[in-house]
Amino acid sequence: MSASERIPPGGVTVTESLLLAELLVEGELTVRGQVREASNAVLYCTVSYEGREAACVYKPVAGERPLWDFPDGTLAQREVAAYEVSEATGWGLVPPTVLRDGPYGEGMCQLWIEGQPGSELLALVDGDEPGEGWKAVGFAEVGEGKTALLVHADDERLRRLAVLDAVINNADRKGGHLLPAVEGRLYGIDHGVTFNVDNKLRTLLWGWAGEPLTEESVRVLGSLRDSLEAGGALAVRLAELITPAEVDATRARVTGLLKAGTHPEPSGEWPAIPWPPV
């Protein structure tokens, strides 16, 4: 990689992922702006190290808004833990993410992904059926007493993300957290409210609820189960980021998915769809 080469925002190979992790950890963070619509402090930055530069997101722990159901000051660690699980699957669904010091203290630093237009993943349609190539989520109010069917694409990338969300117990999978990138890649972002010991799965990706897991997903989940055993590589890494009870709960969710052999269904104990959905 030549000097002053800019890291592309997407299509990251394994080798590039390692280089990016080094860049994100060791590089100099320069704040360029703020993402205003975010509920927590989200800063748009560049990070530079040994002639390499990339755009990134920096979320300082000091800027996290307290939540009633998650311990204060833990969202950044959960974002990194989600990345570690994603990497363990081999699917690469979460952009490179690290925990580091920055201008406003310790926080999460993640490669900025520039979403690519032209890849429709969610839609509202008339009628009671989703149509070919789509999966139904549920009915949504669209104003003036009217409803429409919310659907998502029957896309293998989304299906993998649905499995990842079930493993990490994602309580906030919104449409705006789905980023189609270059070379057909799809990333999921914003994983601060994950890994709770209670079932809080809340997502727009319910289209496969109750359907059998793919053979690929079963293989991946089996590998995760092994890596989450005591002393396993993933268990050791997660223990640095979340509590022992949360690691145990993650292991139990993987075991439960393998035993059921199907995608999870809404529990009825927690709102199934995040609000706002986008």
Side-chain angles (χ1 to χ4, degrees), residues 125-209:
V125 299
D126 295 327
D128 298 332
E129 297 297 329
E132 186 175 357
W134 295 90
K135 305 292 286 188
V137 179
F139 289 95
E141 294 185 7
V142 294
E144 299 180 355
K146 297 180 181 179
T147 61
L149 184 64
L150 176 63
V151 298
H152 65 68
D154 188 4
D155 186 309
E156 189 60 35
R157 300 170 303 169
L158 286 181
R159 191 165 189 170
R160 290 170 175 169
L161 194 58
V163 173
L164 176 66
D165 284 343
V167 171
I168 66 177
N169 197 14
N170 192 352
D172 195 32
R173 175 61 71 204
K174 297 176 179 177
H177 299 167
L178 305 173
L179 294 181
V182 297
E183 299 180 357
R185 296 291 300 270
L186 176 70
Y187 292 98
I189 60 170
D190 285 347
H191 298 106
V193 286
T194 49
F195 295 101
N196 201 297
V197 296
D198 298 324
N199 180 12
K200 291 185 178 291
L201 184 59
R202 191 166 56 167
T203 175
L204 291 179
L205 304 181
W206 288 115
W208 297 282

Side-chain angles (χ1 to χ4, degrees), residues 5-6 9 14-15 20 51 69-70 73 85 89 102 105 110 121 149-150 153 156 165 171 226 228 268:
E5 182 176 356
R6 186 171 181 80
V14 173
T15 300
L20 285 166
D69 51 349
F70 286 85
V85 175
T89 66
Q110 182 178 83
L121 299 174
L149 184 64
L150 176 63
E156 189 60 35
D165 284 343
D226 294 342
L228 283 166

